[in-house]
Amino acid sequence: MKLEMALATALALAVVSWTEEFFPKEAHTLNWGKFSGFWYIIAIATDTRGFLPARDKRKLGASVVKVHKTGQLKVVIAFSRPQGCQSMETTLKKDRKKPVFRNTLKGIKGFHVLSTDYTYGLVYLRLGHAGSNYKSLLLFNRQNISSFLSLREFLDTCHILRLTKQATILPKDDSCAHTILP
Ligand SMILES: *[C@@H]1O[C@H](CO)[C@@H](O)[C@H](O)[C@H]1NC(C)=O
């Protein structure tokens, strides 16, 4: 029994460090200037309960990313929620040592770009306050559609993050997304 617990703990730790290993293209090599601008959010997978509205009320999301000052990122996200179309704006600060942007006061523990060619982007958000932890994977695209390959990468990453059951491709209604068109 004790051995099993130790093994489970070791396994959990391995998964955590492996997940961190999994962020190769992060901020170090990412050109944030090129990543800036308007994005549609084509698909989402989240373990935050009650984040998405009912199926027939779902719409494309959107995000505007802007390099604010050195080491600061302004991020606006518009999303169709159960309460209707909502947008929020947050300034994220780069961690001094790690290649990650965050604003823990606003409950954003990490904004990671896992992969991008600047026409699409795979964004992993770690959310929560103190001991609570939620994760969301977002598929960004400059246009209101996405390529088969980026969708495939989104679904593969959902699998790695254990979010497959929560993966949702959003209907192509841009009425909420366009509320934050720059
Ligand atoms: C997608 O965007 C194009 C222009 O970029 C537009 O013509 C088209 O109506 C949009 N489609 C939907 C379903 O919103």
Side-chain angles (χ1 to χ4, degrees):
M1 194 64 193
K2 270 192 184 148
L3 179 67
E4 272 169 31
M5 293 258 290
L7 277 176
T9 309
L11 194 64
L13 288 174
V15 169
V16 169
S17 66
W18 181 72
T19 310
E20 302 212 329
E21 289 286 300
F22 181 69
F23 303 138
K25 292 190 194 166
E26 253 196 289
H28 281 316
T29 53
L30 192 74
N31 181 336
W32 286 100
K34 261 175 96 176
F35 191 79
S36 292
F38 179 86
W39 295 97
Y40 286 100
I41 302 172
I42 301 284
I44 181 171
T46 181
D47 61 4
T48 315
R49 273 170 194 273
F51 185 84
L52 289 171
R55 219 156 261 286
D56 61 329
K57 302 245 165 60
R58 292 178 188 172
K59 295 172 177 188
L60 293 175
S63 181
V64 177
V65 178
K66 217 174 179 177
V67 182
H68 198 41
K69 287 185 224 159
T70 314
Q72 283 195 15
L73 211 58
K74 211 174 89 182
V75 178
V76 185
I77 289 186
F79 218 89
S80 180
R81 302 285 312 276
Q83 306 85 343
C85 180
Q86 294 191 333
S87 67
M88 70 150 204
E89 183 179 321
T90 323
T91 301
L92 305 175
K93 290 196 179 128
K94 190 165 176 292
D95 186 275
R96 271 188 218 141
K97 293 184 209 131
K98 290 188 196 158
V100 58
F101 282 89
R102 59 167 63 104
N103 182 336
T104 43
L105 282 178
K106 294 266 180 82
I108 301 172
K109 293 179 171 178
F111 179 97
H112 307 262
V113 177
L114 302 187
S115 172
T116 187
D117 68 356
Y118 306 101
T119 68
Y120 84 95
L122 209 52
V123 174
Y124 177 46
L125 282 177
R126 289 187 301 112
L127 307 169
H129 287 280
S132 63
N133 287 294
Y134 303 101
K135 54 193 176 186
S136 297
L137 185 70
L138 307 171
L139 177 60
F140 279 26
N141 201 293
R142 294 292 186 189
Q143 287 173 332
N144 56 18
I145 48 163
S146 66
S147 71
F148 173 75
L149 279 181
S150 64
L151 210 51
R152 179 70 194 271
E153 196 180 345
F154 170 78
L155 292 171
D156 286 348
T157 312
C158 283
H159 182 69
I160 292 166
L161 295 170
R162 297 174 191 225
L163 285 172
T164 299
K165 279 193 199 135
Q166 290 89 345
T168 307
I169 313 236
L170 297 163
K172 306 254 169 296
D173 175 333
D174 56 17
S175 57
C176 182
H178 285 182
T179 59
I180 57 161
L181 266 183

